[in-house]
Amino acid sequence: MAILDGARVDASEYSAAAWAALKESEDAKRVVMPLCGIRAIAKSRGETFFFAHYRTSECKVDHGGESPQHIAMKTALRDRINAIDGWHALVEYPHPSREWIIDVLAESDDKRRRIAFEVQLSSQTPERYQQRSQRYFNDRVFPMWIIPRRLEYNRTHIPAVVTGFGKSSAVPEDPTDLMTLDIRCDFREEDTLGDLVDNLLRRGHRWAYGSPDDQAARHKREEEYEARLREEERLRQEALNARIEEMNNNSASPEAAFGVHTVFTEDGPFVWATLTQCWSCEHPMLLWNADSARAGVQYSSPPALEIRREVGAKRYENHPDVHKVLNKWMRETRADVEKAKIQVRRSKMKGADYSAFVCPQCDALIGQMFISCLRTEKWSLVSAPLLKKKGVAARPAAGEAGHFDPRRGKPRKQRLAAVPLEPRIHPPRPTVPEELQTDRKKTWEELHSPDGIAEARRRFMGTSSPYRGN
């Protein structure tokens, strides 16, 4: 495309003879390039005719050199568009302000609809695609990019069709063969490039994403909406944490208020309790959590305390055995506090029934989620099946030596007190008459008498026989 006396000159519309005549005519000296206005010269490469700069050193504008593949694709698009009734093609169509030049512009005969076919065989940044496409959208021209390979993922969608035909591809002798290329397109369902061009002109583009600016504005609104949701969630979580912390501050373990006391049963339930107050009327109340014990099993320690965040319509905390041990504990400790009531409520969110603790004074609901967030030190064990089986001595009572307190862990082994040993008294030995005593000590005279010496010799020789030796 070039300009001659203010009129567009399309090189693809010339025959070989007309092109040769143009090159030799005086008009060739007045042909200028459309963007920079510098003198152009008519050239040819085989059967392809095009304009080029007379002196490229004088041009400061990036025109983007056209390869044979680029020219062949533009020629194929032009012929396909011109073959459709009610449409005509304009190759290298410039904007009145020279802001852009369209490779091939498809324009309806009534000039109400225009589609810009841009052949982009070289690489280009996503920002450049968006910028150039937006210029077309601003002038109410729908852009259609013909590219050899799929674009990298970008949040902003660009109308493009992948043909696989690039700068290194073989150029067909007949450019119209390019219309049979298999294509991939994200918003169309045609199989070949020719079918895509036909349906774009006859049925419309059906592009639902909008211009790049429209998409950017929509992304901004979505980000602002998500940021607002995150901020609301943060504030809601802060209020929830403050409510949980307030409930913890207003709660205490029964052990701290009424002393250490646990109701021991044979096979009864494990029951933990906490003292809190109503968030609405500030009425004090007792809440509890229960866990059944296995019959016949002797426990050495209670299970870990686990408070469920969600409960059903029936819950073990409302079992008669649980109320029985709670009432006994309250009598024995003289606890001047009321038990909370358990009532069945309806969850609108889940559409199901559940049993919940309610204030005994004003019937305000005590959320199970808040109860499950109470810290462990706010609970204490008020009942446990820690007695031995029948026929075995019961465990020591609270305060006695060897008493097992489940909150303090297993007791140490009790050592027996040291008992002082009494001196052993031996009975007196019986008295033996002197004449019968054989082990009495002999006098010096007896030992050195002839009989004493003979007795000593016999013992020394190993025998006491009187017939051996002198």
Side-chain angles (χ1 to χ4, degrees), residues 251-280:
S251 300
S253 66
E255 176 181 327
F258 304 107
V260 179
H261 181 78
T262 305
V263 176
F264 294 105
T265 60
E266 182 67 25
D267 293 319
F270 291 98
V271 181
W272 295 265
T274 183
L275 299 172
T276 187
Q277 66 180 23
C278 176
W279 62 269
S280 178

PDB file of all heavy atoms in Angstrom, residues 251-280:
ATOM      1  N   SER A 251     -15.969 -16.849  81.589  1.00  0.00           N
ATOM      2  CA  SER A 251     -16.159 -18.255  81.960  1.00  0.00           C
ATOM      3  C   SER A 251     -15.085 -18.668  82.962  1.00  0.00           C
ATOM      4  O   SER A 251     -14.016 -18.060  83.047  1.00  0.00           O
ATOM      5  CB  SER A 251     -16.094 -19.161  80.725  1.00  0.00           C
ATOM      6  OG  SER A 251     -17.095 -18.810  79.789  1.00  0.00           O
ATOM      7  N   ALA A 252     -15.401 -19.706  83.737  1.00  0.00           N
ATOM      8  CA  ALA A 252     -14.460 -20.238  84.729  1.00  0.00           C
ATOM      9  C   ALA A 252     -14.784 -21.706  84.950  1.00  0.00           C
ATOM     10  O   ALA A 252     -15.897 -22.183  84.676  1.00  0.00           O
ATOM     11  CB  ALA A 252     -14.547 -19.464  86.042  1.00  0.00           C
ATOM     12  N   SER A 253     -13.801 -22.442  85.445  1.00  0.00           N
ATOM     13  CA  SER A 253     -14.032 -23.861  85.724  1.00  0.00           C
ATOM     14  C   SER A 253     -14.764 -24.015  87.063  1.00  0.00           C
ATOM     15  O   SER A 253     -14.545 -23.230  87.991  1.00  0.00           O
ATOM     16  CB  SER A 253     -12.699 -24.606  85.770  1.00  0.00           C
ATOM     17  OG  SER A 253     -11.932 -24.152  86.870  1.00  0.00           O
ATOM     18  N   PRO A 254     -15.654 -24.996  87.178  1.00  0.00           N
ATOM     19  CA  PRO A 254     -16.322 -25.236  88.464  1.00  0.00           C
ATOM     20  C   PRO A 254     -15.336 -25.526  89.602  1.00  0.00           C
ATOM     21  O   PRO A 254     -15.608 -25.207  90.759  1.00  0.00           O
ATOM     22  CB  PRO A 254     -17.214 -26.448  88.175  1.00  0.00           C
ATOM     23  CG  PRO A 254     -17.453 -26.394  86.696  1.00  0.00           C
ATOM     24  CD  PRO A 254     -16.195 -25.861  86.113  1.00  0.00           C
ATOM     25  N   GLU A 255     -14.196 -26.112  89.275  1.00  0.00           N
ATOM     26  CA  GLU A 255     -13.194 -26.401  90.304  1.00  0.00           C
ATOM     27  C   GLU A 255     -12.696 -25.110  90.943  1.00  0.00           C
ATOM     28  O   GLU A 255     -12.468 -25.043  92.158  1.00  0.00           O
ATOM     29  CB  GLU A 255     -12.033 -27.162  89.677  1.00  0.00           C
ATOM     30  CG  GLU A 255     -10.882 -27.437  90.620  1.00  0.00           C
ATOM     31  CD  GLU A 255      -9.759 -28.173  89.919  1.00  0.00           C
ATOM     32  OE1 GLU A 255     -10.049 -28.979  89.011  1.00  0.00           O
ATOM     33  OE2 GLU A 255      -8.589 -27.929  90.280  1.00  0.00           O
ATOM     34  N   ALA A 256     -12.515 -24.048  90.119  1.00  0.00           N
ATOM     35  CA  ALA A 256     -12.038 -22.778  90.662  1.00  0.00           C
ATOM     36  C   ALA A 256     -13.087 -22.118  91.541  1.00  0.00           C
ATOM     37  O   ALA A 256     -12.752 -21.382  92.467  1.00  0.00           O
ATOM     38  CB  ALA A 256     -11.640 -21.853  89.515  1.00  0.00           C
ATOM     39  N   ALA A 257     -14.366 -22.357  91.262  1.00  0.00           N
ATOM     40  CA  ALA A 257     -15.435 -21.699  92.013  1.00  0.00           C
ATOM     41  C   ALA A 257     -15.891 -22.510  93.223  1.00  0.00           C
ATOM     42  O   ALA A 257     -16.193 -21.938  94.277  1.00  0.00           O
ATOM     43  CB  ALA A 257     -16.619 -21.423  91.087  1.00  0.00           C
ATOM     44  N   PHE A 258     -15.956 -23.824  93.120  1.00  0.00           N
ATOM     45  CA  PHE A 258     -16.537 -24.640  94.179  1.00  0.00           C
ATOM     46  C   PHE A 258     -15.572 -25.688  94.732  1.00  0.00           C
ATOM     47  O   PHE A 258     -15.977 -26.554  95.505  1.00  0.00           O
ATOM     48  CB  PHE A 258     -17.801 -25.348  93.667  1.00  0.00           C
ATOM     49  CG  PHE A 258     -18.828 -24.403  93.115  1.00  0.00           C
ATOM     50  CD1 PHE A 258     -19.041 -24.329  91.753  1.00  0.00           C
ATOM     51  CD2 PHE A 258     -19.561 -23.564  93.937  1.00  0.00           C
ATOM     52  CE1 PHE A 258     -19.986 -23.456  91.216  1.00  0.00           C
ATOM     53  CE2 PHE A 258     -20.495 -22.687  93.415  1.00  0.00           C
ATOM     54  CZ  PHE A 258     -20.705 -22.621  92.061  1.00  0.00           C
ATOM     55  N   GLY A 259     -14.319 -25.648  94.332  1.00  0.00           N
ATOM     56  CA  GLY A 259     -13.344 -26.579  94.858  1.00  0.00           C
ATOM     57  C   GLY A 259     -13.282 -27.874  94.063  1.00  0.00           C
ATOM     58  O   GLY A 259     -14.119 -28.154  93.201  1.00  0.00           O
ATOM     59  N   VAL A 260     -12.280 -28.662  94.393  1.00  0.00           N
ATOM     60  CA  VAL A 260     -12.072 -29.927  93.687  1.00  0.00           C
ATOM     61  C   VAL A 260     -13.057 -30.966  94.203  1.00  0.00           C
ATOM     62  O   VAL A 260     -13.075 -31.271  95.394  1.00  0.00           O
ATOM     63  CB  VAL A 260     -10.621 -30.418  93.880  1.00  0.00           C
ATOM     64  CG1 VAL A 260     -10.400 -31.744  93.161  1.00  0.00           C
ATOM     65  CG2 VAL A 260      -9.640 -29.372  93.385  1.00  0.00           C
ATOM     66  N   HIS A 261     -13.875 -31.452  93.317  1.00  0.00           N
ATOM     67  CA  HIS A 261     -14.806 -32.499  93.692  1.00  0.00           C
ATOM     68  C   HIS A 261     -15.286 -33.199  92.426  1.00  0.00           C
ATOM     69  O   HIS A 261     -15.684 -32.550  91.456  1.00  0.00           O
ATOM     70  CB  HIS A 261     -16.019 -31.943  94.441  1.00  0.00           C
ATOM     71  CG  HIS A 261     -16.987 -33.016  94.865  1.00  0.00           C
ATOM     72  ND1 HIS A 261     -16.774 -33.825  95.955  1.00  0.00           N
ATOM     73  CD2 HIS A 261     -18.160 -33.418  94.321  1.00  0.00           C
ATOM     74  CE1 HIS A 261     -17.781 -34.683  96.069  1.00  0.00           C
ATOM     75  NE2 HIS A 261     -18.632 -34.452  95.086  1.00  0.00           N
ATOM     76  N   THR A 262     -15.217 -34.519  92.436  1.00  0.00           N
ATOM     77  CA  THR A 262     -15.653 -35.319  91.298  1.00  0.00           C
ATOM     78  C   THR A 262     -16.578 -36.415  91.788  1.00  0.00           C
ATOM     79  O   THR A 262     -16.269 -37.103  92.761  1.00  0.00           O
ATOM     80  CB  THR A 262     -14.459 -35.944  90.567  1.00  0.00           C
ATOM     81  OG1 THR A 262     -13.543 -34.921  90.187  1.00  0.00           O
ATOM     82  CG2 THR A 262     -14.913 -36.691  89.312  1.00  0.00           C
ATOM     83  N   VAL A 263     -17.704 -36.575  91.140  1.00  0.00           N
ATOM     84  CA  VAL A 263     -18.651 -37.636  91.462  1.00  0.00           C
ATOM     85  C   VAL A 263     -18.202 -38.893  90.721  1.00  0.00           C
ATOM     86  O   VAL A 263     -18.220 -38.935  89.487  1.00  0.00           O
ATOM     87  CB  VAL A 263     -20.081 -37.242  91.048  1.00  0.00           C
ATOM     88  CG1 VAL A 263     -21.035 -38.409  91.308  1.00  0.00           C
ATOM     89  CG2 VAL A 263     -20.527 -36.003  91.796  1.00  0.00           C
ATOM     90  N   PHE A 264     -17.772 -39.923  91.491  1.00  0.00           N
ATOM     91  CA  PHE A 264     -17.335 -41.168  90.891  1.00  0.00           C
ATOM     92  C   PHE A 264     -18.489 -42.150  90.828  1.00  0.00           C
ATOM     93  O   PHE A 264     -19.257 -42.296  91.776  1.00  0.00           O
ATOM     94  CB  PHE A 264     -16.183 -41.776  91.693  1.00  0.00           C
ATOM     95  CG  PHE A 264     -14.943 -40.932  91.653  1.00  0.00           C
ATOM     96  CD1 PHE A 264     -14.574 -40.167  92.755  1.00  0.00           C
ATOM     97  CD2 PHE A 264     -14.158 -40.886  90.525  1.00  0.00           C
ATOM     98  CE1 PHE A 264     -13.439 -39.395  92.723  1.00  0.00           C
ATOM     99  CE2 PHE A 264     -13.012 -40.110  90.475  1.00  0.00           C
ATOM    100  CZ  PHE A 264     -12.648 -39.358  91.580  1.00  0.00           C
ATOM    101  N   THR A 265     -18.609 -42.804  89.688  1.00  0.00           N
ATOM    102  CA  THR A 265     -19.685 -43.775  89.464  1.00  0.00           C
ATOM    103  C   THR A 265     -19.066 -45.085  88.993  1.00  0.00           C
ATOM    104  O   THR A 265     -17.878 -45.147  88.662  1.00  0.00           O
ATOM    105  CB  THR A 265     -20.673 -43.256  88.406  1.00  0.00           C
ATOM    106  OG1 THR A 265     -19.973 -43.044  87.181  1.00  0.00           O
ATOM    107  CG2 THR A 265     -21.304 -41.942  88.851  1.00  0.00           C
ATOM    108  N   GLU A 266     -19.905 -46.117  88.941  1.00  0.00           N
ATOM    109  CA  GLU A 266     -19.413 -47.419  88.510  1.00  0.00           C
ATOM    110  C   GLU A 266     -19.209 -47.459  87.002  1.00  0.00           C
ATOM    111  O   GLU A 266     -18.108 -47.695  86.512  1.00  0.00           O
ATOM    112  CB  GLU A 266     -20.407 -48.505  88.930  1.00  0.00           C
ATOM    113  CG  GLU A 266     -19.971 -49.926  88.567  1.00  0.00           C
ATOM    114  CD  GLU A 266     -18.739 -50.349  89.347  1.00  0.00           C
ATOM    115  OE1 GLU A 266     -18.504 -49.812  90.440  1.00  0.00           O
ATOM    116  OE2 GLU A 266     -18.002 -51.213  88.841  1.00  0.00           O
ATOM    117  N   ASP A 267     -20.264 -47.197  86.260  1.00  0.00           N
ATOM    118  CA  ASP A 267     -20.184 -47.185  84.795  1.00  0.00           C
ATOM    119  C   ASP A 267     -20.851 -45.934  84.233  1.00  0.00           C
ATOM    120  O   ASP A 267     -21.341 -45.941  83.102  1.00  0.00           O
ATOM    121  CB  ASP A 267     -20.863 -48.437  84.201  1.00  0.00           C
ATOM    122  CG  ASP A 267     -20.108 -49.704  84.551  1.00  0.00           C
ATOM    123  OD1 ASP A 267     -18.859 -49.658  84.504  1.00  0.00           O
ATOM    124  OD2 ASP A 267     -20.756 -50.719  84.878  1.00  0.00           O
ATOM    125  N   GLY A 268     -20.886 -44.871  85.003  1.00  0.00           N
ATOM    126  CA  GLY A 268     -21.555 -43.656  84.564  1.00  0.00           C
ATOM    127  C   GLY A 268     -20.751 -42.878  83.541  1.00  0.00           C
ATOM    128  O   GLY A 268     -19.665 -43.287  83.122  1.00  0.00           O
ATOM    129  N   PRO A 269     -21.222 -41.723  83.144  1.00  0.00           N
ATOM    130  CA  PRO A 269     -20.573 -40.971  82.066  1.00  0.00           C
ATOM    131  C   PRO A 269     -19.413 -40.114  82.587  1.00  0.00           C
ATOM    132  O   PRO A 269     -19.294 -39.839  83.778  1.00  0.00           O
ATOM    133  CB  PRO A 269     -21.700 -40.086  81.548  1.00  0.00           C
ATOM    134  CG  PRO A 269     -22.549 -39.827  82.754  1.00  0.00           C
ATOM    135  CD  PRO A 269     -22.485 -41.081  83.575  1.00  0.00           C
ATOM    136  N   PHE A 270     -18.573 -39.709  81.647  1.00  0.00           N
ATOM    137  CA  PHE A 270     -17.605 -38.650  81.899  1.00  0.00           C
ATOM    138  C   PHE A 270     -18.313 -37.326  81.637  1.00  0.00           C
ATOM    139  O   PHE A 270     -18.891 -37.131  80.565  1.00  0.00           O
ATOM    140  CB  PHE A 270     -16.396 -38.765  80.972  1.00  0.00           C
ATOM    141  CG  PHE A 270     -15.520 -39.942  81.259  1.00  0.00           C
ATOM    142  CD1 PHE A 270     -15.639 -41.112  80.519  1.00  0.00           C
ATOM    143  CD2 PHE A 270     -14.578 -39.879  82.270  1.00  0.00           C
ATOM    144  CE1 PHE A 270     -14.823 -42.203  80.781  1.00  0.00           C
ATOM    145  CE2 PHE A 270     -13.757 -40.969  82.539  1.00  0.00           C
ATOM    146  CZ  PHE A 270     -13.883 -42.131  81.799  1.00  0.00           C
ATOM    147  N   VAL A 271     -18.270 -36.430  82.577  1.00  0.00           N
ATOM    148  CA  VAL A 271     -18.948 -35.140  82.427  1.00  0.00           C
ATOM    149  C   VAL A 271     -17.972 -34.029  82.795  1.00  0.00           C
ATOM    150  O   VAL A 271     -17.375 -34.041  83.874  1.00  0.00           O
ATOM    151  CB  VAL A 271     -20.214 -35.045  83.311  1.00  0.00           C
ATOM    152  CG1 VAL A 271     -20.898 -33.698  83.104  1.00  0.00           C
ATOM    153  CG2 VAL A 271     -21.185 -36.184  82.983  1.00  0.00           C
ATOM    154  N   TRP A 272     -17.779 -33.096  81.855  1.00  0.00           N
ATOM    155  CA  TRP A 272     -17.010 -31.882  82.105  1.00  0.00           C
ATOM    156  C   TRP A 272     -17.984 -30.708  82.147  1.00  0.00           C
ATOM    157  O   TRP A 272     -18.979 -30.691  81.413  1.00  0.00           O
ATOM    158  CB  TRP A 272     -15.989 -31.638  81.010  1.00  0.00           C
ATOM    159  CG  TRP A 272     -14.911 -32.663  80.910  1.00  0.00           C
ATOM    160  CD1 TRP A 272     -13.674 -32.636  81.453  1.00  0.00           C
ATOM    161  CD2 TRP A 272     -14.973 -33.896  80.175  1.00  0.00           C
ATOM    162  NE1 TRP A 272     -12.950 -33.751  81.134  1.00  0.00           N
ATOM    163  CE2 TRP A 272     -13.723 -34.551  80.340  1.00  0.00           C
ATOM    164  CE3 TRP A 272     -15.952 -34.525  79.397  1.00  0.00           C
ATOM    165  CZ2 TRP A 272     -13.442 -35.785  79.758  1.00  0.00           C
ATOM    166  CZ3 TRP A 272     -15.673 -35.742  78.821  1.00  0.00           C
ATOM    167  CH2 TRP A 272     -14.424 -36.370  79.013  1.00  0.00           C
ATOM    168  N   ALA A 273     -17.700 -29.734  82.954  1.00  0.00           N
ATOM    169  CA  ALA A 273     -18.597 -28.588  83.096  1.00  0.00           C
ATOM    170  C   ALA A 273     -17.792 -27.298  83.094  1.00  0.00           C
ATOM    171  O   ALA A 273     -16.580 -27.283  83.369  1.00  0.00           O
ATOM    172  CB  ALA A 273     -19.433 -28.701  84.371  1.00  0.00           C
ATOM    173  N   THR A 274     -18.481 -26.215  82.762  1.00  0.00           N
ATOM    174  CA  THR A 274     -17.897 -24.876  82.798  1.00  0.00           C
ATOM    175  C   THR A 274     -18.952 -23.880  83.260  1.00  0.00           C
ATOM    176  O   THR A 274     -20.155 -24.094  83.034  1.00  0.00           O
ATOM    177  CB  THR A 274     -17.356 -24.469  81.419  1.00  0.00           C
ATOM    178  OG1 THR A 274     -16.736 -23.183  81.513  1.00  0.00           O
ATOM    179  CG2 THR A 274     -18.471 -24.393  80.390  1.00  0.00           C
ATOM    180  N   LEU A 275     -18.516 -22.840  83.901  1.00  0.00           N
ATOM    181  CA  LEU A 275     -19.402 -21.770  84.369  1.00  0.00           C
ATOM    182  C   LEU A 275     -19.251 -20.579  83.447  1.00  0.00           C
ATOM    183  O   LEU A 275     -18.133 -20.123  83.189  1.00  0.00           O
ATOM    184  CB  LEU A 275     -19.039 -21.367  85.806  1.00  0.00           C
ATOM    185  CG  LEU A 275     -19.153 -22.467  86.864  1.00  0.00           C
ATOM    186  CD1 LEU A 275     -18.588 -21.965  88.178  1.00  0.00           C
ATOM    187  CD2 LEU A 275     -20.594 -22.904  87.024  1.00  0.00           C
ATOM    188  N   THR A 276     -20.363 -20.073  82.933  1.00  0.00           N
ATOM    189  CA  THR A 276     -20.342 -18.918  82.039  1.00  0.00           C
ATOM    190  C   THR A 276     -21.580 -18.081  82.302  1.00  0.00           C
ATOM    191  O   THR A 276     -22.375 -18.385  83.206  1.00  0.00           O
ATOM    192  CB  THR A 276     -20.265 -19.358  80.570  1.00  0.00           C
ATOM    193  OG1 THR A 276     -20.082 -18.214  79.737  1.00  0.00           O
ATOM    194  CG2 THR A 276     -21.531 -20.087  80.146  1.00  0.00           C
ATOM    195  N   GLN A 277     -21.745 -17.031  81.502  1.00  0.00           N
ATOM    196  CA  GLN A 277     -22.919 -16.182  81.658  1.00  0.00           C
ATOM    197  C   GLN A 277     -23.543 -15.919  80.308  1.00  0.00           C
ATOM    198  O   GLN A 277     -22.880 -16.018  79.269  1.00  0.00           O
ATOM    199  CB  GLN A 277     -22.560 -14.855  82.330  1.00  0.00           C
ATOM    200  CG  GLN A 277     -21.646 -13.955  81.513  1.00  0.00           C
ATOM    201  CD  GLN A 277     -21.320 -12.663  82.227  1.00  0.00           C
ATOM    202  OE1 GLN A 277     -21.403 -12.578  83.436  1.00  0.00           O
ATOM    203  NE2 GLN A 277     -20.962 -11.641  81.468  1.00  0.00           N
ATOM    204  N   CYS A 278     -24.812 -15.586  80.297  1.00  0.00           N
ATOM    205  CA  CYS A 278     -25.551 -15.337  79.065  1.00  0.00           C
ATOM    206  C   CYS A 278     -25.025 -14.056  78.415  1.00  0.00           C
ATOM    207  O   CYS A 278     -24.803 -13.051  79.086  1.00  0.00           O
ATOM    208  CB  CYS A 278     -27.048 -15.207  79.371  1.00  0.00           C
ATOM    209  SG  CYS A 278     -28.057 -14.785  77.920  1.00  0.00           S
ATOM    210  N   TRP A 279     -24.840 -14.102  77.090  1.00  0.00           N
ATOM    211  CA  TRP A 279     -24.349 -12.918  76.381  1.00  0.00           C
ATOM    212  C   TRP A 279     -25.410 -11.830  76.302  1.00  0.00           C
ATOM    213  O   TRP A 279     -25.091 -10.656  76.088  1.00  0.00           O
ATOM    214  CB  TRP A 279     -23.930 -13.312  74.968  1.00  0.00           C
ATOM    215  CG  TRP A 279     -25.065 -13.860  74.133  1.00  0.00           C
ATOM    216  CD1 TRP A 279     -25.441 -15.154  74.017  1.00  0.00           C
ATOM    217  CD2 TRP A 279     -25.959 -13.103  73.323  1.00  0.00           C
ATOM    218  NE1 TRP A 279     -26.526 -15.279  73.187  1.00  0.00           N
ATOM    219  CE2 TRP A 279     -26.868 -14.021  72.740  1.00  0.00           C
ATOM    220  CE3 TRP A 279     -26.111 -11.761  73.027  1.00  0.00           C
ATOM    221  CZ2 TRP A 279     -27.896 -13.622  71.890  1.00  0.00           C
ATOM    222  CZ3 TRP A 279     -27.124 -11.365  72.176  1.00  0.00           C
ATOM    223  CH2 TRP A 279     -28.004 -12.289  71.611  1.00  0.00           C
ATOM    224  N   SER A 280     -26.686 -12.216  76.527  1.00  0.00           N
ATOM    225  CA  SER A 280     -27.769 -11.240  76.397  1.00  0.00           C
ATOM    226  C   SER A 280     -28.132 -10.607  77.739  1.00  0.00           C
ATOM    227  O   SER A 280     -28.105  -9.387  77.885  1.00  0.00           O
ATOM    228  CB  SER A 280     -29.007 -11.917  75.787  1.00  0.00           C
ATOM    229  OG  SER A 280     -30.087 -11.020  75.694  1.00  0.00           O
TER     230      SER A 280
END
